[in-house]
């Protein structure tokens, strides 16, 4: 089972990039949102949680930290990678229990490595280990459905 | 405590030319009346005024300069008309009432007090006060003598400057954020292109150049941001920062900057190590590692980044960026962090190591350069950065 990932960013070109990158790496796109409020609305009205969320920070309506706080209150085990150009949010992200902090700009390889590391904590793996191995990452253990 | 006399009148006034004031005081060829007139004219011209009042607020004296500053000239024809009135009826207080009187009573004087007020006509102004406790000779009553300066124009300029600075910071912040997002889209899509298409050597080189230029642009943004922040006089607010994450992203950025030498950089993991810093710490390690890459390019020097507790200073960690490059001669070791100092003919602004030093000092750390092999600088250098450990 491929890990399901939700992406949140107010920059449409970045959303497109995340979608293409996740598809290439073999992950399943759980959904997307263009700001924090939309993400909270979509996820909290859903019965299921994604395995991981890639969240921008500085967005209109509701920022990434606030949205993460609300989403984690609803789904405490969901992994979140906060992707932002502003590292000053790192401490609060860490306190909130956000899985990882990614300072923009980052390479595709680094993004995929971070996703894999974050998912490793919940034993979720992409469905096509070969591609991750090609990207210079360590070989994966067998896919798990323990989530 | 001085008594009220002509001498008291002149002495506390900080004229631009004190010699001229002294000469005027000691010139016996002019009468006291003439002298007072000259002083009053000069004070009015210099946007300075004088007034004196009792502790209950009763005005004993006010000159034309003070009348002009308080904008009372249209209401009262002669300064003598103000004698006996209460100072509180001649202006509208914006700040705390009674502070000046209490402080003058306790400390004999109050110097350089800036405060806002409104004229009776409702005009908002700023004044600078020098106030002294004096004794009126006739009654022996204690009074407050005030030298008032109109600083409304200066405060207006200060306010405009503060607003302009805030606006410039806002635009810089906005531009930095948005350009970084554009870079992210480009860098990410170039990465996808590289993974999706089989590129030949020439195509790969073109793609590497694109990524490299994007990384350079990112480095420039970080440098500009760093230069802006280190100029701030106020200390930077520090917060816990994951050192391993900072080092990993710096190494990643350097590998994009130097795609052909990417395997020359080795990072020894320091997971769980947190330091007190700001987001400028990225620039520190990006510059140090990049510097080692540039100067060690000819000999393909390998670079190792390692972290450990500082052995001689509790509460600090030291990050060593160690290279096997051409090294730093002893006579250059102190100069190397000066602005615009360059070690070789390598390209660059010469700002990099200066910025490193300025940022590290600003966050309460230090940086120095050592020989990798003590006593033999030709075998490479260690740039050692000490940072405050996060104790939480």
């Amino acid at each position: 089972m491929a890990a399901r990932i939700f992406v949140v960013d107010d920059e449409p070109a970045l959303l497109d990039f995340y979608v293409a990158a996740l598809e290439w790496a073999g992950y399943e796109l759980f959904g997307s949102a263009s700001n924090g409020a939309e993400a909270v609305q979509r996820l909290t009205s859903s019965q299921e949680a994604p395995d991981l969320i890639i969240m921008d920070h500085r967005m209109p309506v509701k920022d990434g930290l606030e949205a993460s706080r609300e989403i984690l209150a609803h789904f405490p085990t969901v992994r979140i990678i906060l992707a932002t150009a502003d590292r000053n949010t790192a401490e609060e992200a860490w306190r909130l229990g956000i899985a990882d902090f990614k300072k923009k700009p980052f390479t595709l390889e680094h993004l995929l490595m971070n996703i894999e590391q974050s998912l490793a904590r919940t034993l979720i793996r992409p469905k096509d280990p070969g591609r991750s191995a090609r990207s210079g990452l360590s070989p994966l253990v067998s896919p798990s459905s323990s989530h | 405590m001085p008594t009220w006399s002509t001498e008291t009148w002149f002495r506390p006034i900080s004229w631009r030319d004190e010699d001229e004031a002294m000469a005027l005081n000691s010139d016996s060829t002019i009468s006291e009346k003439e002298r007072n007139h000259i002083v009053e004219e000069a004070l009015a011209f210099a946007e300075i005024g004088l007034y004196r009042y009792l502790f209950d607020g009763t005005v004993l004296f006010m000159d034309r300069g003070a009348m002009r500053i308080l904008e009372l000239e249209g209401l009262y024809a002669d300064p003598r008309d103000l004698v006996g009135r209460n100072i509180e009826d001649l202006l509208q207080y914006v700040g705390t009432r009674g502070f000046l009187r209490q402080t003058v009573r306790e400390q004999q004087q109050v110097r350089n007090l800036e405060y806002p007020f409104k004229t009776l006509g409702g005009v908002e102004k700023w004044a600078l006060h020098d106030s002294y406790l004096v004794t009126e000779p006739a009654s022996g009553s204690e009074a407050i003598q005030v030298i008032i300066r109109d600083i409304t124009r200066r405060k207006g300029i200060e306010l405009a400057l503060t607003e302009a600075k805030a606006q410039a910071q806002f635009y810089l912040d906005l531009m930095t954020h948005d350009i970084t997002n554009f870079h992210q889209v480009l860098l990410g899509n170039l990465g996808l292109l590289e993974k999706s298409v089989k590129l030949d050597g020439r195509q790969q080189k073109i793609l590497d150049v694109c990524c490299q230029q994007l990384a350079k642009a990112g480095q420039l943004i970080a440098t500009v941001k760093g230069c802006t922040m280190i100029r701030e006089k106020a200390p930077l607010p520090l917060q816990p920062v994951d050192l391993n994450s900072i080092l990993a992203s710096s190494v990643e950025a350097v590998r994009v900057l130097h795609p052909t030498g990417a395997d020359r950089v080795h990072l020894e993991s320091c997971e769980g190590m947190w330091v007190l810093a700001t987001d400028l710490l990225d620039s520190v390690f990006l510059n140090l590692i990049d510097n080692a890459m540039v100067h060690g390019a000819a000999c393909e020097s390998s670079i190792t980044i390692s972290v450990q507790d500082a052995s001689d200073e509790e509460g600090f960690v030291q990050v060593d960026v160690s290279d096997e490059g051409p090294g730093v001669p002893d006579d250059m070791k102190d100069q190397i962090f000066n602005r615009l100092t360059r070690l070789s003919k390598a390209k660059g602004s010469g700002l990099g190591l200066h910025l490193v030093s300025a940022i590290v000092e600003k966050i309460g750390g230090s940086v120095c350069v050592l020989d990798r092999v003590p006593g033999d600088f030709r075998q490479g250098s260690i740039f050692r950065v000490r940072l405050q450990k996060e104790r939480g």
Side-chain angles (χ1 to χ4, degrees), chain B residues 80-99:
Chain B
R80 281 171 294 193
D81 297 341
L82 296 164
V83 175
R85 296 190 180 276
N86 196 296
I87 188 69
E88 293 188 14
D89 297 330
L90 301 177
L91 75 158
Q92 302 178 59
Y93 288 89
V94 173
T96 314
R97 228 174 256 238
F99 165 79

Side-chain angles (χ1 to χ4, degrees), chain A residues 9-11 13-14 16-18 20-21 24 56 58 84-92 94-95 100-112 117 134-136, chain B residues 173-174 176-177 180-185 187-189 191-192 194-196 214 218 225 229 237-242 245-246 248-249 252 256 271 274 278-280 282 390:
Chain A
D9 205 299
D10 63 325
E11 173 59 55
L14 257 178
D16 290 345
F17 158 66
Y18 287 137
W24 178 84
D56 184 24
R58 203 185 294 186
T84 174
D86 182 9
R87 195 180 279 281
N88 287 326
T89 51
E91 187 188 6
E92 201 178 341
W94 177 68
R95 282 194 183 136
D100 203 352
F101 181 87
K102 208 70 214 90
K103 188 170 180 191
K104 293 174 182 172
F106 43 78
T107 59
L108 172 67
E109 289 194 353
H110 219 77
L111 172 68
L112 296 177
Q117 284 172 347
R134 264 209 312 262
S135 69
Chain B
D173 205 33
L174 188 70
T176 303
H177 176 265
T180 303
N181 262 349
F182 299 148
H183 285 173
Q184 181 60 69
V185 172
L187 199 60
N189 280 295
L192 269 176
E194 188 178 24
K195 302 291 181 196
S196 311
L214 282 171
K225 200 174 169 189
M229 292 187 78
L238 304 183
Q239 60 179 17
V241 169
D242 178 2
S245 157
I246 295 260
S249 61
E252 183 194 359
V256 177
E271 275 198 38
W274 289 70
T278 73
D279 70 341
L280 294 178
D282 282 312
E390 205 280 311

